[in-house]
């Protein structure tokens, strides 16, 4: 008999309750149970960062978190990034700087970059590159992604009251 | 992944009982960055995972200049380098925790998990050994302690008996005029497994001209991380000089028992042990001199 666990959590500001198996990852819960398919699965073993989400304020690979572990936690995914007035500056900059091609890595990069800018509004280029070392992209060659993150940091600086 | 039971006790005694009840069929879950990968790949099977992240003792991170560091087994890497007093007192440990994986991994991966996973290349282990860390291990019945260099017994194996878990690590307060460093070689800039890792710690005399004592530990060149006593002995009482550093590097190279695999050859690894021992020692000396 498979035991199911009841998990209550805050996803993108919304209180959510779901049932999961103990062996299911947070990534599976997001995509398969909650139908939040913005978060992507790449390697499923912690190497590619496509599944990056922000858990209790920290960037994590959701494939290496059990769904059961987010009981009482706060989860931020790419679906929560855009505000009521439009895209997040990071999303805007990724578009303007052509920082994506196939796009499968993009939600992970966006969440990773958000986690960085949330704590360090003015990172250096070297800092951005090091911070994003856990996110892989097979298409862009990274340069445009790094430029987009730096550009978004500038945009957010201007927008800050 | 095969099915298993998940429990997340809030008190240590409950966690110990939950582990002991299932013996070898239970594993502790800390950051999950090793165990979840292994379970998914079918390299390990369990009936029960005991998540220990809600247990105060296992998540304690506290530094006291007289008592030293208490590092709960499940404390993730980022907490270690983000806590200013710890970062200042143990730069050699910070070297290691800040290069485990990338940002995402550091948000979860614990030093205790790195040690319990017992990979020969585990980056924090040579740093712990060099710093003289002591492991506090508990079962429902007793508690015992052992130095970090005695914890790993073979690749993936430790002194932990079924029903035991690592509660925390204690690192003595840094001695006056002491310094430590950890360096690893990987073919990329980040996100890779150590080809060789070297941890070094030194205590200098007041004039900063002689070694009072030193500890050198190696990673990825033997079935377990290795304390090289002969390297420390080659330095104790000697002048701080390139000659004594060279003698320690030679002792470390002699102690290394590397293998050839996809990451490197025996010759390359032995060479790297020498080069990294010299560099780690110079950095540790520099830190001891600035102090
Ligand atoms: C992409 C990626 C990159 C990585 N890069 C590095 C790297 O650069 N350097 C490096 O050294 N490692 C690296 N690792 C491996 C891993 O992240 C580390 O070994 C990490 O420190 C493990 O800690 P954890 O808390 O995630 O352990 P877990 O996976 O939770 O546990 C590891 C093992 O130890 C056992 N265990 C954990 N805590 C206890 C305890 N308190 N008592 C008894 N048993 C316990 C578990 O049952 C399990 O068998 C990497 C992993 C990934 C996925
Ligand atoms: S899918 Fe999680 S890191 Fe690749
Ligand atoms: S845009 Fe295709 S992997 Fe990054």
């Amino acid at each position: 008999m498979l035991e199911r666990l009841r998990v209550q959590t805050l996803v993108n500001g919304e209180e959510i309750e779901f049932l999961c198996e103990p062996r299911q990852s947070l990534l599976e819960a997001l995509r398969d149970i909650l139908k939040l398919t913005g978060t992507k699965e790449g390697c499923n073993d912690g190497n590619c960062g496509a599944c990056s989400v922000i858990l209790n304020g920290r960037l994590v690979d959701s494939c290496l978190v059990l769904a059961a572990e987010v009981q009482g936690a706060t989860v931020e995914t790419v679906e929560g990034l855009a505000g009521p007035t439009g895209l997040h500056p990071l999303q805007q900059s990724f578009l303007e700087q052509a920082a994506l091609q196939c796009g499968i890595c993009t939600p992970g990069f966006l969440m990773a970059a958000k986690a960085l800018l949330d704590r360090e509004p003015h990172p250096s280029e070297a800092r951005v590159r090091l911070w994003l070392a856990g996110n892989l992209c097979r298409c862009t060659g990274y340069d445009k992604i790094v430029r987009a993150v730096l550009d978004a940091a500038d945009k957010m600086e201007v927008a800050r009251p | 992944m095969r099915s298993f039971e998940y429990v997340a006790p809030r008190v240590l005694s409950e966690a110990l009982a939950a582990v002991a009840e299932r013996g070898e069929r239970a594993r502790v879950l800390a950051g999950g960055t090793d165990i979840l990968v292994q379970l998914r790949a079918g390299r390990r099977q369990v009936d029960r995972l005991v998540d220990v992240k809600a247990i105060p003792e296992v998540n304690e991170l506290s530094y006291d200049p007289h008592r030293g560091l208490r590092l709960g087994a499940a404390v993730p890497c980022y907490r270690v380098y983000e806590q200013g007093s710890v970062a200042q007192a143990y730069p050699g440990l910070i070297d290691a925790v800040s290069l485990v994986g990338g940002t995402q991994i550091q948000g979860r991966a614990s030093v205790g998990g790195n040690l319990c996973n017992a990979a020969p290349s585990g980056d924090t282990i040579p740093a712990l050994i060099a710093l003289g860390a002591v492991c506090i291990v508990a079962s429902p019945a007793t508690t015992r302690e052992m130095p970090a260099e005695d914890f790993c017994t073979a690749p993936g194996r430790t002194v932990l008996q079924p029903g035991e878990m690592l509660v925390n690590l204690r690192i003595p307060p840094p001695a006056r005029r002491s310094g430590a460093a950890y360096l690893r070689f990987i073919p990329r800039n980040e996100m890779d497994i150590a080809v060789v890792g070297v941890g070094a710690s030194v205590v200098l005399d007041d004039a900063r001209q002689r070694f009072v004592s030193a500890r050198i530990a190696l990673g990825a060149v033997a079935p377990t991380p290795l304390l090289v006593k002969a390297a420390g002995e080659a330095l104790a009482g000697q002048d701080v000089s390139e000659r004594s550093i060279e003698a320690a590097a030679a002792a470390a190279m002699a102690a290394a028992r590397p293998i050839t695999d996809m990451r490197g050859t025996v010759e390359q690894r032995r060479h790297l042990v020498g080069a990294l021992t010299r560099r780690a020692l110079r950095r540790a000396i520099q830190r001891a001199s600035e102090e």
Side-chain angles (χ1 to χ4, degrees), chain A residues 27 40-51 61 63:
Chain A
L27 174 62
K40 301 305 180 203
E41 176 181 322
C43 62
N44 216 19
D45 65 13
N47 275 284
C48 77
C51 66
D61 291 322
C63 69

Side-chain angles (χ1 to χ4, degrees), chain B residues 12-263:
Chain B
L12 184 59
S13 58
E14 278 177 30
L16 291 170
V19 171
E21 235 171 54
R22 292 294 165 95
E24 287 183 357
R25 302 297 299 173
R27 294 297 297 190
V28 169
L29 173 69
T33 60
D34 279 318
I35 188 80
L36 294 181
V37 174
Q38 292 162 5
L39 288 172
R40 198 168 281 146
R43 271 184 282 144
R44 212 185 258 288
Q45 265 134 36
V46 294
D47 294 337
R48 176 184 282 175
L49 279 188
V50 181
D51 185 346
V52 294
K53 291 190 291 297
I55 298 166
E57 292 91 328
V58 188
N59 286 284
E60 177 184 2
L61 176 65
S62 67
Y63 172 65
D64 176 284
H66 303 293
R67 222 184 43 188
L69 185 71
R70 277 181 194 228
L71 173 55
V75 172
C77 291
Y78 82 86
R79 277 182 59 198
V80 180
Y81 58 70
E82 284 188 1
Q83 187 156 320
S85 61
V86 178
Q88 211 174 350
Y90 302 100
L93 180 63
I94 302 306
D95 286 344
V97 291
S98 45
L99 48 72
V100 173
T103 314
Q104 289 88 337
I105 299 296
Q106 287 166 17
R108 302 282 289 173
S110 63
V111 175
N114 197 234
L115 186 60
C116 291
N117 190 59
S121 59
D123 280 307
T124 69
I125 310 174
L128 291 173
I129 296 174
L131 289 168
V134 174
C135 314
I136 315 295
V137 167
S139 70
T142 55
T143 301
R144 57 188 183 119
E145 307 186 353
M146 74 277 313
E149 58 268 30
D150 293 345
F151 192 82
C152 301
T153 54
R157 297 197 163 269
T158 68
V159 294
L160 292 180
Q161 298 297 311
E164 280 189 321
M165 66 176 263
L166 178 67
V167 178
N168 61 22
L169 293 151
R170 308 243 170 105
I171 303 184
R176 254 158 39 98
R177 317 240 180 284
S178 69
Y182 173 76
L183 291 174
R184 74 172 178 189
F185 176 82
I186 56 173
R188 318 165 54 193
N189 288 330
E190 62 271 311
M191 292 287 287
D192 211 339
I193 294 172
V195 179
V196 171
V198 176
S201 74
V202 301
V203 182
L204 306 183
D205 68 356
D206 283 344
R208 300 173 171 94
Q209 275 166 8
R210 263 172 206 277
F211 293 103
V212 174
S213 63
R215 287 167 71 88
I216 307 285
L218 311 179
V221 291
T224 65
L226 220 55
L227 171 67
V228 186
K229 288 210 174 100
E233 285 158 8
L235 293 171
Q238 300 299 311
D239 286 345
V240 175
S241 68
E242 280 303 308
R243 226 177 100 192
S244 54
I245 291 174
E246 197 49 54
M253 287 170 78
R257 288 176 274 133
I259 54 165
T260 293
D261 65 9
M262 60 185 273
R263 294 182 201 289

Side-chain angles (χ1 to χ4, degrees), chain A residues 4-161:
Chain A
R4 287 192 167 256
L5 302 171
R6 181 180 301 278
V7 177
Q8 290 167 306
T9 174
L10 204 64
V11 178
N12 298 327
E14 200 184 325
E15 278 182 42
I16 286 183
E17 193 175 298
F18 62 86
L19 288 174
C20 69
E21 284 180 46
R23 63 170 170 178
Q24 281 182 301
S25 67
L26 172 59
L27 174 62
E28 288 172 79
L30 289 171
R31 291 185 56 86
D32 302 343
I33 304 176
L34 302 175
K35 306 296 174 200
L36 291 170
T37 54
T39 306
K40 301 305 180 203
E41 176 181 322
C43 62
N44 216 19
D45 65 13
N47 275 284
C48 77
C51 66
S52 299
V53 301
I54 299 176
L55 173 62
N56 290 334
R58 298 304 305 194
L59 186 69
V60 301
D61 291 322
S62 60
C63 69
L64 292 189
V65 177
L66 291 178
E69 291 183 76
V70 306
Q71 166 62 35
T74 306
V75 182
E76 296 168 61
T77 72
V78 72
E79 283 88 350
L81 206 50
T85 55
L87 293 180
H88 186 279
L90 274 163
Q91 292 171 307
Q92 196 59 46
S93 294
F94 267 59
L95 284 176
E96 289 167 7
Q97 305 284 324
L100 61 146
Q101 288 176 33
C102 79
I104 192 157
C105 68
T106 311
F109 270 103
L110 286 169
M111 296 316 288
K114 175 174 192 290
L116 174 61
L117 298 187
D118 280 351
R119 67 191 56 234
E120 296 172 34
H122 305 292
S124 66
E125 180 182 333
R127 180 74 180 135
V128 172
R129 286 185 186 273
L130 184 63
W131 183 272
L132 296 178
N135 292 82
L136 301 184
C137 174
R138 297 303 305 267
C139 303
T140 64
Y142 300 102
D143 231 56
K144 293 177 173 183
I145 294 175
V146 173
R147 258 182 276 152
V149 175
L150 293 169
D151 182 62
D154 290 344
K155 280 201 180 86
M156 290 162 78
E157 171 65 18
V158 173
R160 216 163 281 131

